[in-house]
């Protein structure tokens, strides 16, 4: 069981990073956090993978006043998604025609959903951004939905102001990722934390 959980964890994180690269190469818009990451990368000259890692650890600092404790998966998430995002960008070419962009976007959404289900289902702890959301909800009494909306609207606006890519892909991701992960997650939940893992937030970003 532990072997399967570890394989699932690392497979999910690798796929998540590759899916981020696919979203970028599709050029049709990113999810809110990655709009923010891309905006920071554009302004700093750092690779998007390095920015993802740096933001992950900055977000983890916000866990301290929220009294959140990172798990093994949380720390792996903070590092590996950014690493594989840069690997994906090195391997996947930019697509210039619309049909290819749409196909790449569809593949990115599906890969992201499978990656999220793998990572969450492994049950090694939430990603830094999901932990921020759930910790904020617990400490303030707000609903998880409201906390997530507040955080994602904030980072989306900041990312757009920094020059991150907002487009139809942003909308497609927002509408599709929740239902897809909800459908896939029961097939990937393993281990003693099966019931609690199934109730984790529907993204692993991370």
């Amino acid at each position: 069981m532990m072997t399967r959980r570890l394989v699932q964890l690392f497979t999910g994180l690798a796929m998540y990073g590759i899916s981020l690269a696919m979203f970028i190469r599709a050029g049709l818009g990113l999810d809110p956090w990655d709009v923010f990451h891309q905006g920071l990368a554009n302004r700093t000259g750092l690779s998007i993978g390095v920015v993802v890692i740096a933001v992950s650890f900055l977000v983890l600092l916000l866990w301290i006043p929220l009294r959140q404790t990172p798990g093994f998966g949380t720390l792996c998430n903070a590092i590996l998604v950014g690493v594989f995002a840069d690997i994906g960008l090195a391997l996947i070419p930019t697509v210039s025609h619309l049909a290819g962009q749409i196909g790449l976007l569809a593949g990115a959404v599906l890969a992201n959903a499978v990656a999220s289900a793998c990572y969450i289902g492994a049950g090694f702890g939430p990603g830094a951004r999901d932990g921020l959301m759930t910790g904020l909800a617990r400490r303030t009494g707000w609903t998880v939905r409201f906390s997530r909306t507040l955080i994602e609207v904030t980072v989306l606006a900041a990312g757009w102001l920094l020059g991150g890519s907002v487009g139809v892909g942003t909308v497609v991701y927002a509408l599709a990722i929740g239902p897809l992960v909800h459908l896939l997650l029961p097939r990937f939940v393993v281990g003693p934390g099966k019931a609690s893992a199934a109730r984790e937030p529907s993204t692993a970003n991370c």
Side-chain angles (χ1 to χ4, degrees), residues 99-133:
Q101 288 177 292
I102 293 172
L104 198 55
L105 174 63
V109 172
L110 182 58
N112 191 279
V114 174
S116 298
C118 283
Y119 168 74
I120 296 168
F124 282 106
R129 294 151 188 79
D130 281 340
L132 176 63
M133 171 186 66

Side-chain angles (χ1 to χ4, degrees), residues 59-71 74 126-128 131-132:
V59 170
L60 283 175
L61 292 178
L62 297 177
W63 281 33
I64 297 172
L66 297 175
R67 298 180 184 175
Q68 291 275 94
T69 302
T74 308
L132 176 63

Side-chain angles (χ1 to χ4, degrees), residues 2-205:
M2 180 58 70
T3 299
R4 177 183 165 178
R5 292 175 66 201
L6 289 169
V7 169
Q8 235 181 251
L9 170 69
F10 293 122
T11 300
L13 295 178
M15 287 183 66
Y16 204 100
I18 297 296
S19 73
L20 169 53
M22 293 169 69
F23 275 113
I24 293 172
R25 292 302 189 219
L28 296 174
L30 306 173
D31 70 272
W33 273 105
D34 289 328
V35 172
F36 181 62
H37 297 145
Q38 188 184 51
L40 283 177
N42 291 343
R43 292 301 181 97
T44 62
L46 299 171
S47 74
I48 191 141
V50 170
V51 170
V52 168
I53 294 169
V55 170
S56 294
F57 281 99
L58 288 173
V59 170
L60 283 175
L61 292 178
L62 297 177
W63 281 33
I64 297 172
L66 297 175
R67 298 180 184 175
Q68 291 275 94
T69 302
F72 173 70
T74 308
L75 300 177
C76 292
N77 188 318
I79 297 169
L80 293 181
V81 171
V83 170
F84 280 97
D86 279 349
I87 291 173
L89 287 172
L91 296 176
I92 303 170
T94 301
V95 178
S96 57
H97 50 90
L98 184 59
Q101 288 177 292
I102 293 172
L104 198 55
L105 174 63
V109 172
L110 182 58
N112 191 279
V114 174
S116 298
C118 283
Y119 168 74
I120 296 168
F124 282 106
R129 294 151 188 79
D130 281 340
L132 176 63
M133 171 186 66
T134 55
L136 185 63
R138 190 183 67 253
R139 294 288 288 173
T140 62
W142 297 340
T143 64
V144 170
R145 183 184 298 274
F146 178 78
S147 298
R148 176 174 177 172
T149 300
L150 177 64
I151 292 169
E152 294 197 347
V153 167
T154 300
V155 296
L156 177 63
W160 178 72
L161 290 172
L162 290 169
S165 177
V166 178
V168 65
T170 309
V171 177
V172 170
Y173 182 89
L175 294 176
I177 194 65
L180 283 173
V181 175
H182 180 76
L183 178 67
L184 292 168
L185 186 55
R187 294 165 172 77
F188 289 94
V189 175
V190 293
K194 185 168 184 175
S196 60
R199 295 193 295 270
E200 287 286 343
S202 62
T203 69
N205 191 13

